[in-house]
Amino acid sequence: MEQENAVNPDFNIPYYIFEELIEYVELTAKGECKSMKWNNIESLLGLAVSSNRLTREQAKCLRETYCREN
């Protein structure tokens, strides 16, 4: 069933990742150095996946939605 593999766009983002994403978006808007902030977010996403707070698909969705490093 396709729906089983779909990412729920309303999933709960752990607060510690949410805070980092907000700071990252603010830095991006100001044009300030943000690559270290994104590296921290990547680490937190990995931690959230390994502790079953997020699925791999949800972490991928967050990366694709918020990463401005490419």
Side-chain angles (χ1 to χ4, degrees), residues 2-54:
E2 283 185 42
Q3 194 170 23
E4 291 177 14
N5 295 328
V7 173
N8 177 358
D10 298 324
F11 61 87
N12 291 325
I13 301 170
Y15 191 73
Y16 57 92
I17 294 174
F18 176 75
E19 285 182 317
E20 292 295 312
L21 285 171
I22 294 298
E23 288 180 36
Y24 176 76
V25 169
E26 288 174 347
L27 289 172
T28 301
K30 293 178 184 177
E32 296 179 15
C33 179
K34 62 205 177 303
S35 60
M36 289 193 66
K37 179 63 74 178
W38 184 256
N39 290 340
N40 188 39
I41 293 168
E42 281 287 348
S43 297
L44 291 173
L45 290 173
L47 177 64
V49 169
S50 66
S51 64
N52 295 319
R53 295 287 311 268
L54 293 174

